[in-house]
Amino acid sequence: MTQSIADRELDLELIGMTCASCANRIERKLNKLDGVTATVNYATEQAHVEYDDGVTPDSLVEAVRAAGYDATPVVPPSPTPVVTDDEDPAPSRAEIELAELRQRLLVSAALTIPVIVLAMVPAWQFTYWQWLSLTLAAPVVVWGALPFHRAALATARHGTTTMDTLISIGTLAAFGWSIYALFWGTAGIPGMTHGFDLIASRGDGAGNIYLEAAAGVTTFLLAGRYFEKRSKLRAGDALRALAEVGAKDVTVLRDGREVTVPIGELQVGERFVVRPGEKIATDGVVVSGASAVDQSMITGESIPVEVTEGDTVVGGTVNAQGRLEVEAKAVGSDTALAHMAKMVADAQAGKAQVQRLADRVSSVFVPVVIAIAVGVLGFWLGVGGGITVALTAAVSVLVIACPCALGLATPTALMVGTGRGAQLGILLKGPEVLESTRRVDTVTLDKTGTVTTGEMSVTEVIAADGVDEADLLARAAAVEANSEHPIGKAVVRRAADLGIELPLTAEFRNLAGAGVTAFIDGLRVTVTGPRDVPVPLDEQMRKRIAEASDAGATPVVVTYLDAVAGVIVVSDTVKPTSAAAIAELKRMGLRPVLLTGDNEGAARHVAAQVGIDQVIADVTPEGKVAAIAKLQESGRVVAMVGDGVNDAAALASADLGLAMGTGTDVAIEAGDLTLVSGDLWAVVDAIALSRKTLATIKGNLFWAFAYNVAALPLAAAALLNPMMAGLAMALSSAFVVANSLRLRGFRSKRSSMTKAG
């Protein structure tokens, strides 16, 4: 039998990657295998592999190991997880690694601080201070830097180098030279203090120790590695959050009795009960009952859909009103929710790799620096400069080139930028999203809950001739007060806002998906949709109802005294800040596009209010992904702004995903940026802050490399002793940090516009 495409696909979790060049190496190794097409995603630390029948998963894992790393097949998240509140899930491998890295960082920082202080403040250099520094620095260089040493050794075995190579050699060289100076030089004598000569003289290298450089580089880069690891840890949370949307238990009808069982035990063809407020367990068909179902978690529609016998319902949606009996038509991986989870996984796997500038340059920079250090050592020995000068110059080259500033360039700017972003309600997940913000030229926006409030409200009350508007609203609200329907709640809320006292009702009845009715003062009052009005509609009311429907609103008709008393128009309202924020996006050179599952009329009505020219409406979650892909194929770089489960796959497939924090956990985890406030001004600020943070990172990297280029010749010429090289390296790091701190002055575009106005 021929295998299906799905049988020849595999995701591998990769272990041991430390930079984008590692991802490139693994990808090249896998793609060298016959019949294999692989894409390695550094951000998620996974490889997506498609392979022919002649290739086995074991051979793929072996190929990764041959590149110097390790891999394990990814176990996909269960579409119907059975998790009780009492269970405490075991931490993942990534969580364990993060905890170990945090412990390594904290211990190293505690030991490094006194070493740096003693080295830089001669007045505090007491007798035998150098031996205390050795005692404190040794665990940092040996144990703290162990991840760098291991990675450097692993790549060396395969004849390659990374930033870890230079970090390892630089820290070990500085530490090794300090050991030499302490035990065989003059640095270990009582009363020794550091000198601050700018130019190294022949023979003086054996009197200096460089423990602060070795320990400081280690600690700074451990901090960078920790924050990078922490940001990447959440890359797979979208799938876990999506699984949490589904119900955990279901009430099944068995032998005429209601039995509550775990969702995993539900079978296709079984009937289950859904009470008001409960989630519908799985996809199915209503066999008994009528209700309004809130599908906003799946479709993005703000208005609950009326369902009755024979209607299809989707697992994960919420029964807002009546009791339903549903026959299960799909379970497990066949449900719409599981299909959406697969879409999110595919979209994430298809994201482009992150190529950090520092890692790209390091592929040439690292071996060149090592070659220079060896060449300098040989040169000074060859010209008779002596072992002290030769070693001093060689170690100075390694120390001056040790990429402390390079390691700080990204994490410091990211830390300051994300800290400032948090103050403005913007949560940036990691440096991998920044490149996209610079290139984005199109912003697609979901309608419900993003541009609009997502909450139903009364926008117009139309009373018939001879009917008092307040009396109309009072009677309608009194009847709707007995209902849990969101439209009814909006009517009741409007009456309460106006201070209208509601009359008493009697004999309330729900009209099975058609509306509600009750007696007030002996008169029957009915509130229904236009199709279910029990009395004829005159031409004027038909026209007003059509106008409301064309504008995307929902009209409900109120009847009593055997006549139409009026129409109450209910709709989702535009957020008050949306129009101004979209205008600012346009000023930034971005094209806004409204992308929604709502109907064309409602979408165009909202678009006209906020100034959006391009509208893509009536699209499913798959349609949103397809629409974004079409924009990308036309050359656009697309950002997606959304808040619902139905937006998760689109957020993941866009070049930049911005999730409203007022939305679902699924959308938040699938997005690259989370906007806590739910205000579209946060989209403006997020893009502006991300671009500024990216510019700061690139500026940091430029100056860090420029410092190395300028300082390396001085070190090679023995014009700097290693101590001054360490000081210069510290100053370059200080510059990078100071440049990053400038991000704290970032101001919200909204506040700037307010002040200008």
Side-chain angles (χ1 to χ4, degrees), residues 245-305:
V245 171
K248 301 298 181 294
D249 299 306
V250 57
T251 302
V252 183
L253 291 172
R254 291 178 178 172
D255 300 326
R257 295 184 302 111
E258 295 184 3
V259 182
T260 301
V261 300
I263 185 66
E265 296 183 12
L266 180 64
Q267 302 293 321
V268 173
E270 282 194 295
R271 292 189 178 187
F272 60 92
V273 175
V274 190
R275 300 181 180 86
E278 292 183 343
K279 289 181 180 179
I280 295 174
T282 194
D283 300 353
V285 174
V286 177
V287 294
S288 176
S291 181
V293 176
D294 181 0
Q295 297 186 347
S296 60
M297 296 284 286
I298 302 296
T299 66
E301 288 280 3
S302 57
I303 302 173
V305 177

Side-chain angles (χ1 to χ4, degrees), residues 26-228:
I26 295 172
E27 186 170 295
R28 288 196 302 269
K29 197 75 173 179
L30 286 170
N31 285 321
K32 284 182 180 178
L33 298 176
D34 291 335
V36 171
T37 302
T39 301
V40 175
N41 191 319
Y42 173 62
T44 59
E45 297 185 353
Q46 289 188 0
H48 180 72
V49 187
E50 297 178 5
Y51 56 95
D52 293 339
D53 296 345
V55 181
T56 65
D58 288 342
S59 65
L60 297 174
V61 172
E62 286 304 317
V64 174
R65 289 173 179 167
Y69 307 90
D70 202 357
T72 57
V74 174
V75 178
S78 171
T80 54
V82 182
V83 180
T84 67
D85 295 335
D86 298 331
E87 289 182 358
D88 186 14
S92 65
R93 179 188 59 82
E95 289 171 333
I96 294 173
E97 288 180 355
L98 184 68
E100 292 175 349
L101 189 56
R102 181 175 182 271
Q103 181 185 41
R104 200 179 295 271
L105 170 61
L106 292 177
V107 173
S108 296
L111 296 174
T112 298
I113 291 173
V115 174
I116 293 177
V117 170
L118 286 173
M120 297 300 178
V121 185
W124 292 358
Q125 293 175 359
F126 55 86
T127 305
Y128 299 119
W129 69 274
Q130 66 271 45
W131 297 102
L132 175 61
S133 293
L134 175 64
T135 304
L136 295 174
V140 177
V141 177
V142 176
W143 175 79
L146 191 58
F148 305 122
H149 302 323
R150 283 175 177 166
L153 183 60
T155 55
R157 287 172 178 167
H158 294 83
T160 57
T161 59
T162 63
M163 295 297 284
D164 289 318
T165 306
L166 198 53
I167 295 168
S168 179
I169 293 177
T171 53
L172 289 177
F175 184 71
W177 182 259
S178 299
I179 295 292
Y180 165 79
L182 284 170
F183 287 94
W184 292 281
T186 58
I189 63 175
M192 184 277 288
T193 58
H194 263 306
F196 282 90
D197 296 330
L198 293 177
I199 299 176
S201 58
R202 298 194 178 195
D204 68 349
N208 289 320
I209 57 175
Y210 320 109
L211 296 169
E212 78 288 346
V217 167
T218 298
T219 301
F220 282 136
L221 294 178
L222 279 174
R225 188 67 55 84
Y226 170 76
F227 289 111
E228 177 183 332

Side-chain angles (χ1 to χ4, degrees), residues 216-499:
V217 167
T218 298
T219 301
F220 282 136
L221 294 178
L222 279 174
R225 188 67 55 84
Y226 170 76
F227 289 111
E228 177 183 332
K229 187 77 175 177
R230 190 176 67 172
S231 70
K232 291 198 298 183
L233 179 62
R234 302 183 66 85
D237 283 353
L239 295 179
R240 289 188 288 272
L242 194 56
E244 289 299 314
V245 171
K248 301 298 181 294
D249 299 306
V250 57
T251 302
V252 183
L253 291 172
R254 291 178 178 172
D255 300 326
R257 295 184 302 111
E258 295 184 3
V259 182
T260 301
V261 300
I263 185 66
E265 296 183 12
L266 180 64
Q267 302 293 321
V268 173
E270 282 194 295
R271 292 189 178 187
F272 60 92
V273 175
V274 190
R275 300 181 180 86
E278 292 183 343
K279 289 181 180 179
I280 295 174
T282 194
D283 300 353
V285 174
V286 177
V287 294
S288 176
S291 181
V293 176
D294 181 0
Q295 297 186 347
S296 60
M297 296 284 286
I298 302 296
T299 66
E301 288 280 3
S302 57
I303 302 173
V305 177
E306 303 286 349
V307 297
T308 186
E309 293 182 19
D311 289 337
T312 300
V313 290
V314 180
T317 56
V318 178
N319 180 18
Q321 202 169 11
R323 181 182 185 276
L324 295 175
E325 290 185 15
V326 181
E327 181 179 334
K329 293 298 182 181
V331 296
S333 60
D334 296 327
T335 64
L337 195 61
H339 180 56
M340 292 180 68
K342 179 66 165 58
M343 287 173 57
V344 174
D346 290 345
Q348 287 187 338
K351 282 196 172 182
Q353 297 182 62
V354 179
Q355 297 292 335
R356 288 188 176 85
L357 180 59
D359 291 313
R360 291 199 296 267
V361 176
S362 70
S363 62
V364 176
F365 179 70
V366 174
V368 166
V369 169
I370 295 173
I372 290 173
V374 173
V376 165
L377 179 66
F379 171 80
W380 284 111
L381 289 175
V383 299
I387 186 64
T388 300
V389 172
L391 286 174
T392 297
V395 172
S396 293
V397 167
L398 288 172
V399 172
I400 202 77
C402 200
C404 184
L406 292 178
L408 287 170
T410 296
T412 54
L414 185 65
M415 288 168 63
V416 179
T418 53
R420 180 59 184 146
Q423 294 175 332
L424 299 173
I426 303 163
L427 303 180
L428 177 69
K429 288 193 174 178
E432 61 271 12
V433 307
L434 296 176
E435 277 288 344
S436 298
T437 64
R438 178 179 60 84
R439 300 179 293 108
V440 162
D441 54 27
T442 303
V443 180
T444 56
L445 302 115
D446 175 51
K447 180 181 77 70
T448 305
T450 302
V451 178
T452 66
T453 61
E455 182 177 291
M456 304 301 293
S457 62
V458 174
T459 56
E460 189 177 8
V461 178
I462 306 167
D465 294 338
V467 177
D468 180 73
E469 185 177 303
D471 184 60
L472 170 69
L473 189 58
R475 291 174 182 269
V479 177
E480 291 284 16
N482 298 287
S483 168
E484 291 298 317
H485 197 288
I487 291 178
K489 289 181 179 179
V491 174
V492 174
R493 189 164 52 248
R494 177 61 177 269
D497 291 342
L498 296 177

